[in-house]
PDB file of all heavy atoms in Angstrom:
ATOM      1  N   ILE A 227     -32.695 -27.872  -5.612  1.00 96.00           N
ATOM      2  CA  ILE A 227     -32.449 -26.639  -6.367  1.00 96.00           C
ATOM      3  C   ILE A 227     -31.746 -26.961  -7.677  1.00 96.00           C
ATOM      4  O   ILE A 227     -32.082 -26.420  -8.731  1.00 96.00           O
ATOM      5  CB  ILE A 227     -31.621 -25.648  -5.518  1.00 96.00           C
ATOM      6  CG1 ILE A 227     -32.443 -25.198  -4.306  1.00 96.00           C
ATOM      7  CG2 ILE A 227     -31.201 -24.446  -6.342  1.00 96.00           C
ATOM      8  CD1 ILE A 227     -31.697 -24.297  -3.354  1.00 96.00           C
ATOM      9  N   ILE A 228     -30.765 -27.884  -7.613  1.00 94.00           N
ATOM     10  CA  ILE A 228     -30.037 -28.246  -8.836  1.00 94.00           C
ATOM     11  C   ILE A 228     -31.003 -28.829  -9.868  1.00 94.00           C
ATOM     12  O   ILE A 228     -30.962 -28.474 -11.054  1.00 94.00           O
ATOM     13  CB  ILE A 228     -28.894 -29.236  -8.511  1.00 94.00           C
ATOM     14  CG1 ILE A 228     -27.771 -28.507  -7.759  1.00 94.00           C
ATOM     15  CG2 ILE A 228     -28.348 -29.871  -9.779  1.00 94.00           C
ATOM     16  CD1 ILE A 228     -26.611 -29.381  -7.363  1.00 94.00           C
ATOM     17  N   LEU A 229     -31.917 -29.706  -9.413  1.00 95.00           N
ATOM     18  CA  LEU A 229     -32.907 -30.280 -10.335  1.00 95.00           C
ATOM     19  C   LEU A 229     -33.746 -29.177 -10.966  1.00 95.00           C
ATOM     20  O   LEU A 229     -33.939 -29.140 -12.189  1.00 95.00           O
ATOM     21  CB  LEU A 229     -33.818 -31.261  -9.584  1.00 95.00           C
ATOM     22  CG  LEU A 229     -33.200 -32.608  -9.223  1.00 95.00           C
ATOM     23  CD1 LEU A 229     -34.185 -33.449  -8.425  1.00 95.00           C
ATOM     24  CD2 LEU A 229     -32.777 -33.342 -10.490  1.00 95.00           C
ATOM     25  N   HIS A 230     -34.226 -28.267 -10.122  1.00 95.00           N
ATOM     26  CA  HIS A 230     -35.035 -27.151 -10.623  1.00 95.00           C
ATOM     27  C   HIS A 230     -34.251 -26.345 -11.651  1.00 95.00           C
ATOM     28  O   HIS A 230     -34.767 -26.001 -12.727  1.00 95.00           O
ATOM     29  CB  HIS A 230     -35.455 -26.277  -9.441  1.00 95.00           C
ATOM     30  CG  HIS A 230     -36.217 -25.052  -9.828  1.00 95.00           C
ATOM     31  ND1 HIS A 230     -37.405 -25.104 -10.528  1.00 95.00           N
ATOM     32  CD2 HIS A 230     -35.962 -23.739  -9.624  1.00 95.00           C
ATOM     33  CE1 HIS A 230     -37.839 -23.877 -10.734  1.00 95.00           C
ATOM     34  NE2 HIS A 230     -36.986 -23.026 -10.199  1.00 95.00           N
ATOM     35  N   ASN A 231     -32.975 -26.060 -11.351  1.00 93.00           N
ATOM     36  CA  ASN A 231     -32.130 -25.296 -12.273  1.00 93.00           C
ATOM     37  C   ASN A 231     -31.963 -26.028 -13.597  1.00 93.00           C
ATOM     38  O   ASN A 231     -32.039 -25.422 -14.668  1.00 93.00           O
ATOM     39  CB  ASN A 231     -30.748 -25.051 -11.657  1.00 93.00           C
ATOM     40  CG  ASN A 231     -30.788 -24.101 -10.475  1.00 93.00           C
ATOM     41  OD1 ASN A 231     -29.962 -24.176  -9.584  1.00 93.00           O
ATOM     42  ND2 ASN A 231     -31.769 -23.219 -10.442  1.00 93.00           N
ATOM     43  N   LEU A 232     -31.731 -27.343 -13.509  1.00 91.00           N
ATOM     44  CA  LEU A 232     -31.499 -28.112 -14.734  1.00 91.00           C
ATOM     45  C   LEU A 232     -32.742 -28.108 -15.612  1.00 91.00           C
ATOM     46  O   LEU A 232     -32.652 -27.997 -16.838  1.00 91.00           O
ATOM     47  CB  LEU A 232     -31.087 -29.549 -14.388  1.00 91.00           C
ATOM     48  CG  LEU A 232     -29.671 -29.693 -13.816  1.00 91.00           C
ATOM     49  CD1 LEU A 232     -29.401 -31.134 -13.408  1.00 91.00           C
ATOM     50  CD2 LEU A 232     -28.627 -29.221 -14.817  1.00 91.00           C
ATOM     51  N   VAL A 233     -33.920 -28.213 -14.972  1.00 92.00           N
ATOM     52  CA  VAL A 233     -35.168 -28.169 -15.744  1.00 92.00           C
ATOM     53  C   VAL A 233     -35.287 -26.826 -16.458  1.00 92.00           C
ATOM     54  O   VAL A 233     -35.604 -26.758 -17.649  1.00 92.00           O
ATOM     55  CB  VAL A 233     -36.384 -28.387 -14.813  1.00 92.00           C
ATOM     56  CG1 VAL A 233     -37.681 -28.085 -15.551  1.00 92.00           C
ATOM     57  CG2 VAL A 233     -36.390 -29.802 -14.272  1.00 92.00           C
ATOM     58  N   GLU A 234     -34.978 -25.748 -15.738  1.00 92.00           N
ATOM     59  CA  GLU A 234     -35.162 -24.406 -16.292  1.00 92.00           C
ATOM     60  C   GLU A 234     -34.053 -24.013 -17.262  1.00 92.00           C
ATOM     61  O   GLU A 234     -34.139 -22.973 -17.913  1.00 92.00           O
ATOM     62  CB  GLU A 234     -35.210 -23.382 -15.147  1.00 92.00           C
ATOM     63  CG  GLU A 234     -36.410 -23.531 -14.236  1.00 92.00           C
ATOM     64  CD  GLU A 234     -37.688 -23.024 -14.895  1.00 92.00           C
ATOM     65  OE1 GLU A 234     -37.606 -22.062 -15.659  1.00 92.00           O
ATOM     66  OE2 GLU A 234     -38.751 -23.621 -14.648  1.00 92.00           O
ATOM     67  N   LEU A 235     -33.000 -24.835 -17.316  1.00 85.00           N
ATOM     68  CA  LEU A 235     -31.842 -24.480 -18.145  1.00 85.00           C
ATOM     69  C   LEU A 235     -32.207 -24.413 -19.623  1.00 85.00           C
ATOM     70  O   LEU A 235     -31.529 -23.755 -20.413  1.00 85.00           O
ATOM     71  CB  LEU A 235     -30.724 -25.505 -17.915  1.00 85.00           C
ATOM     72  CG  LEU A 235     -29.290 -24.998 -18.026  1.00 85.00           C
ATOM     73  CD1 LEU A 235     -29.077 -23.766 -17.184  1.00 85.00           C
ATOM     74  CD2 LEU A 235     -28.329 -26.088 -17.585  1.00 85.00           C
ATOM     75  N   SER A 236     -33.303 -25.090 -19.992  1.00 85.00           N
ATOM     76  CA  SER A 236     -33.728 -25.021 -21.387  1.00 85.00           C
ATOM     77  C   SER A 236     -34.813 -23.963 -21.580  1.00 85.00           C
ATOM     78  O   SER A 236     -35.344 -23.810 -22.673  1.00 85.00           O
ATOM     79  CB  SER A 236     -34.252 -26.392 -21.823  1.00 85.00           C
ATOM     80  OG  SER A 236     -35.276 -26.800 -20.934  1.00 85.00           O
ATOM     81  N   GLY A 237     -35.138 -23.232 -20.517  1.00 85.00           N
ATOM     82  CA  GLY A 237     -36.204 -22.234 -20.596  1.00 85.00           C
ATOM     83  C   GLY A 237     -35.678 -20.857 -20.967  1.00 85.00           C
ATOM     84  O   GLY A 237     -34.503 -20.695 -21.297  1.00 85.00           O
ATOM     85  N   PRO A 238     -36.547 -19.851 -20.882  1.00 87.00           N
ATOM     86  CA  PRO A 238     -36.160 -18.502 -21.313  1.00 87.00           C
ATOM     87  C   PRO A 238     -35.202 -17.789 -20.356  1.00 87.00           C
ATOM     88  O   PRO A 238     -34.510 -16.870 -20.764  1.00 87.00           O
ATOM     89  CB  PRO A 238     -37.499 -17.761 -21.380  1.00 87.00           C
ATOM     90  CG  PRO A 238     -38.383 -18.504 -20.441  1.00 87.00           C
ATOM     91  CD  PRO A 238     -37.944 -19.929 -20.450  1.00 87.00           C
ATOM     92  N   VAL A 239     -35.163 -18.186 -19.090  1.00 87.00           N
ATOM     93  CA  VAL A 239     -34.272 -17.495 -18.147  1.00 87.00           C
ATOM     94  C   VAL A 239     -33.124 -18.414 -17.737  1.00 87.00           C
ATOM     95  O   VAL A 239     -32.744 -18.491 -16.575  1.00 87.00           O
ATOM     96  CB  VAL A 239     -35.035 -16.987 -16.907  1.00 87.00           C
ATOM     97  CG1 VAL A 239     -35.870 -15.784 -17.267  1.00 87.00           C
ATOM     98  CG2 VAL A 239     -35.884 -18.074 -16.299  1.00 87.00           C
TER      99      VAL A 239
END
Side-chain angles (χ1 to χ4, degrees):
Chain A
I227 295 176
I228 289 179
L229 286 177
H230 176 59
N231 291 152
L232 288 176
V233 169
E234 294 285 326
L235 212 51
S236 55
V239 286

